[in-house]
Amino acid sequence: SGSVQSSIFKVTGMVFAFKLLGSTLKTIIGPWTSILQANIKFESALIGVEKTVTTTAGGMRQLKTELIELTTQIPLNITQIGTIAQLAGQLGVQTRNIAKFTKTIGLLSISTNLSIEEAATGIARLSNIMGESLDHVEDIANVIVHLGNNFATTEREIVQFSLRIGSAAKQAGLTTANTLALAAALSSVGLRSESAGSGISRTIIRIQEAVLE
């Protein structure tokens, strides 16, 4: 019976030792596993960017460096930054503007009720509708934030309304900032882009036609 008890104690001790070793390894390896997974996702996003832009190998290396540097400038992790950069490529943002676009969209998603995808697609599509370059993406974002802070509406509603009336506003000679301001004013009085957007667009065009007569 003494030998049996001794064997049980030995087995129990080995089990405890293995549990302790496993816990220690998890503590050591766990953070590195998370970092590795984040880097894999980031590299995957960069591959997505490379498929949608025209640039050299040197240009991609430069972009990668700029995106990594963004982790020290804005409170987003490398995976989120990679996601925005990939969206930028899919939306037709030029390589030279991707890092700036990524930083701007990241900050906009943090400071407003716009998600990363809403901010990225909204600004890119509005700029395309208005025929304006994304060289000034920071200015557009600043206008959206300013209007959201000063009107009884949200940034999401401003962007959505702008996209609804953008074509008519462009035809009438309004700038992107003018269009955003009009959208803020309309949504702040309770109008919704889904129901009022088409009617407002027709009104804008009629006003322009009347001015030209």
Side-chain angles (χ1 to χ4, degrees), residues 139-176:
D139 296 333
I140 298 172
N142 287 337
V143 170
I144 293 171
V145 172
H146 176 76
L147 293 169
N149 289 337
N150 289 277
F151 282 82
T153 185
T154 67
E155 293 83 5
R156 180 181 289 121
E157 290 173 323
I158 292 170
V159 171
Q160 289 175 345
F161 219 127
S162 296
L163 292 172
R164 290 276 183 174
I165 64 174
S167 295
K170 168 65 176 175
Q171 185 175 331
L174 274 66
T175 65
T176 301

Side-chain angles (χ1 to χ4, degrees), residues 42 61-78 81 99 102-103:
F42 177 64
R61 285 194 297 270
Q62 176 63 29
L63 176 59
K64 181 178 179 179
T65 299
E66 292 174 350
L67 293 175
I68 291 173
E69 287 177 355
L70 287 182
T71 60
T72 66
Q73 300 173 18
I74 58 177
L76 291 178
N77 61 45
I78 195 68
I81 287 171
T102 299
K103 180 179 181 179

Side-chain angles (χ1 to χ4, degrees), residues 26-56:
K26 186 176 180 180
T27 301
I28 295 172
I29 296 174
W32 290 103
T33 301
S34 298
I35 292 171
L36 179 61
Q37 289 175 340
N39 282 331
I40 290 172
K41 290 180 180 178
F42 177 64
E43 292 295 336
S44 176
L46 283 182
I47 292 172
V49 173
E50 194 169 6
K51 289 178 179 178
T52 56
V53 300
T54 303
T55 187
T56 62

Side-chain angles (χ1 to χ4, degrees), residues 82-102:
T83 298
I84 300 173
Q86 187 171 10
L87 273 172
Q90 293 169 351
L91 291 167
V93 178
Q94 294 182 331
T95 308
R96 61 186 172 84
N97 285 328
I98 287 179
K100 179 168 66 174
F101 182 87
T102 299

